[in-house]
Amino acid sequence: MSLLRHAANMRRPIFTLPTEILIAIVEEVGNTSALDVDWTLERFWAPSFQDSSVLIRLSQTCRRFRSIILSHSKPSWWTHICRNADPVLPTLLARSQNLPLTVIVHGSSGSTNNLRAYYASMVPRMQDLHFVNVDYGRFKAFKSFLHLIHPALRCLTFTGSQPDRPEWRRHGLTLSPTHFPQLRQLTLSGVSFHVNPHAPHPHLTRLVLARISGIPRLHAKVAALLAACPALESVALSALFAGDVPDAPFPPPHLPALRRIVLHDLVARALRFYVALLPAARGAPPGITLEITNETAAHASFTFAPVLQKRLGASGATAVGVAVYSRAPEDDASDAGDAAAPDTESAAGPPRDLELAVAAAGEAGAVRIASTARLVEMSQYQNPGLWLERILLADRAMLMGVRDAWFINPGTLSAHDAPELKAAVKQVIDALPALRTIVL
């Protein structure tokens, strides 16, 4: 009977394919696992990972796949240890030989024991390490694990669940270059941290900090961390809510390689602090892209026009764009816990499902500013048309060299908002004497 089933299976269309094609299919099967991350983190960090344990389950489906996996297996197929791989960890470690590992650990009930039983022995081989949705009750075990020296680690992620719990404010991760001497990428969400400004991270190129609130001297700590990362190329700061935004200016960090800055869901005081701190407003080397996006935190007292003027410099803009996006309901930031800030500028009321965006690019760099229609109405700009006019037309000389312009979906706005925006778009077009191409 077994032989009959095997003969019948071999006649199925998929098994008529050449072995080389089946090997390619097997290689892609593991590339289906994505991490569960909070919506505030997805726009900066939503990687897709292979799941090597899937290959073991696939090898148990039929003889043909088992033969291919066992006969043509490469050590690189078995280097992604994530999610539900705990029962097959010894098999994955043996088949991956001595190649660098990517390890993803969820903050589940079994994770603490596995840290001690399995993961500690893998530390010398770990190249990417992601702790996802760690509950505070198990934080100490994860923190203790990170106190080990990870000589080959290049990418570290730590996301805490329930970031509003006060315990996260009293305890945090210690970011020591001694523990991570080769670290290139760091993502922290929902967890506090401690940094020694006198111990730089010389190789760190990408930094994401998100959903951190109520931490004493939070913004001063962020400034110290930025100053300790001289090789930074990209930085994203999202939903950093603390009432102690420093009034005195901090010395700007020396970041000669910085090319991308994202400031997301920061209240006005924090925006002013980081715009002044980071080189996007201080004549940094050309080519920096600055993005300011707010979806839940209002910025009623923040003025955007000077940001464009300083970032684009004397050469002004060569291209501008205006867009209105209809956001899916699940993308709306309706969770007041994530949006609330010790600042009085946090938004309230039901969210609108429209996002407005203005972008300008020139020889010195690019700036993108985005907000929701609801937040614009709550701000000093009152309506989308005035918002657009104040941002782009505050300095008409900045638009004298614009050759290309895009205006996308302006009709998506409500009948109440559309006339003001259309009038502002017309004013922008009239202010572009060098315009060659316009896309509507």
Side-chain angles (χ1 to χ4, degrees):
M1 184 65 69
S2 176
L3 292 176
L4 289 176
R5 283 199 299 265
H6 176 66
N9 286 336
M10 291 305 296
R11 294 182 180 180
R12 295 180 181 274
I14 188 172
F15 293 125
T16 64
L17 296 172
T19 300
E20 293 78 11
I21 301 298
L22 292 176
I23 292 174
I25 292 174
V26 169
E27 289 180 328
E28 290 299 321
V29 164
N31 196 22
T32 60
S33 177
L35 294 185
D36 298 323
V37 296
D38 185 83
W39 70 269
T40 57
L41 197 59
E42 288 180 351
R43 65 169 59 239
F44 320 115
W45 184 84
S48 178
F49 292 92
Q50 292 182 344
D51 185 352
S52 296
S53 65
V54 171
L55 298 179
I56 294 181
R57 295 194 292 273
L58 180 61
S59 70
Q60 297 168 349
T61 59
C62 68
R63 292 181 181 179
R64 179 65 165 148
F65 275 126
R66 179 176 178 82
S67 173
I68 289 175
I69 291 173
L70 294 180
S71 302
H72 302 277
S73 171
K74 305 173 184 177
S76 59
W77 288 8
W78 309 97
T79 58
H80 290 73
I81 299 173
C82 59
R83 207 167 286 241
N84 300 317
D86 295 348
V88 295
L89 273 174
T91 301
L92 299 182
L93 291 177
R95 293 182 179 177
S96 62
Q97 298 181 9
N98 290 319
L99 291 183
L101 299 174
T102 294
V103 178
I104 302 99
V105 184
H106 285 251
S108 60
S109 58
S111 297
T112 301
N113 293 332
N114 288 328
L115 281 173
R116 302 189 184 103
Y118 294 106
Y119 296 122
S121 64
M122 293 186 280
V123 165
R125 295 174 55 191
M126 286 184 182
Q127 183 169 280
D128 291 47
L129 175 60
H130 308 281
F131 288 156
V132 182
N133 295 332
V134 177
D135 182 82
Y136 181 78
R138 302 180 183 92
F139 171 65
K140 290 184 179 179
F142 287 86
K143 180 179 179 180
S144 176
F145 182 81
L146 291 177
H147 280 172
L148 301 173
I149 295 178
H150 295 69
L153 194 67
R154 292 173 175 258
C155 182
L156 173 64
T157 300
F158 193 106
T159 69
S161 64
Q162 300 175 313
D164 295 325
R165 288 187 57 168
E167 291 89 347
W168 287 117
R169 304 173 187 178
R170 295 195 296 267
H171 306 281
L173 298 176
T174 300
L175 303 177
S176 170
T178 303
H179 298 149
F180 318 109
Q182 300 298 323
L183 192 62
R184 302 291 197 274
Q185 300 181 28
L186 175 64
T187 299
L188 300 179
S189 176
V191 60
S192 180
F193 61 89
H194 307 291
V195 60
N196 181 355
H198 304 294
H201 297 264
H203 305 294
L204 195 68
T205 61
R206 188 173 186 272
L207 174 66
V208 177
L209 302 176
R211 292 194 313 149
I212 305 175
S213 62
I215 308 300
R217 302 187 70 251
L218 170 61
H219 300 290
K221 288 183 177 181
V222 174
L225 179 56
L226 292 170
C229 305
L232 268 184
E233 298 175 4
S234 172
V235 57
L237 307 177
S238 171
L240 304 182
F241 293 135
D244 57 349
V245 180
D247 293 323
F250 272 53
H254 180 62
L255 303 174
L258 190 62
R259 289 297 175 265
R260 182 170 185 257
I261 302 168
V262 179
L263 305 177
H264 173 259
D265 266 347
L266 302 179
V267 295
R269 290 185 63 201
L271 271 178
R272 282 193 288 269
F273 175 75
Y274 290 110
V275 166
L277 176 71
L278 291 164
R282 289 183 173 268
I288 291 182
T289 298
L290 169 65
E291 179 179 349
I292 300 176
T293 305
N294 275 33
E295 295 174 285
T296 62
H299 38 56
S301 60
F302 188 81
T303 303
F304 291 104
V307 176
L308 269 76
Q309 294 164 0
K310 292 180 180 179
R311 180 60 254 150
L312 298 177
S315 60
T318 57
V320 296
V322 178
V324 182
Y325 301 103
S326 180
R327 301 166 61 210
E330 62 267 23
D331 292 335
D332 287 328
S334 56
D335 187 347
D338 286 341
D343 208 302
T344 58
E345 299 178 90
S346 60
R352 295 278 296 280
D353 62 348
L354 295 177
E355 180 176 306
L356 312 172
V358 173
E363 295 178 0
V367 180
R368 182 180 184 271
I369 298 169
S371 187
T372 66
R374 176 175 61 93
L375 292 180
V376 168
E377 291 176 354
M378 294 174 59
S379 74
Q380 59 178 310
Y381 301 105
Q382 301 176 0
N383 65 66
L386 187 59
W387 180 77
L388 174 61
E389 179 184 336
R390 295 277 180 86
I391 290 176
L392 285 181
L393 299 178
D395 181 5
R396 291 176 182 261
M398 184 182 67
L399 305 178
M400 298 299 289
V402 171
R403 298 184 296 272
D404 304 289
W406 291 264
F407 299 95
I408 303 171
N409 294 336
T412 308
L413 285 174
S414 66
H416 171 72
D417 294 324
E420 290 84 358
L421 183 65
K422 290 179 180 178
V425 167
K426 184 178 184 303
Q427 290 187 61
V428 171
I429 294 175
D430 292 341
L432 306 176
L435 186 63
R436 296 179 182 178
T437 304
I438 182 169
V439 179
L440 297 175

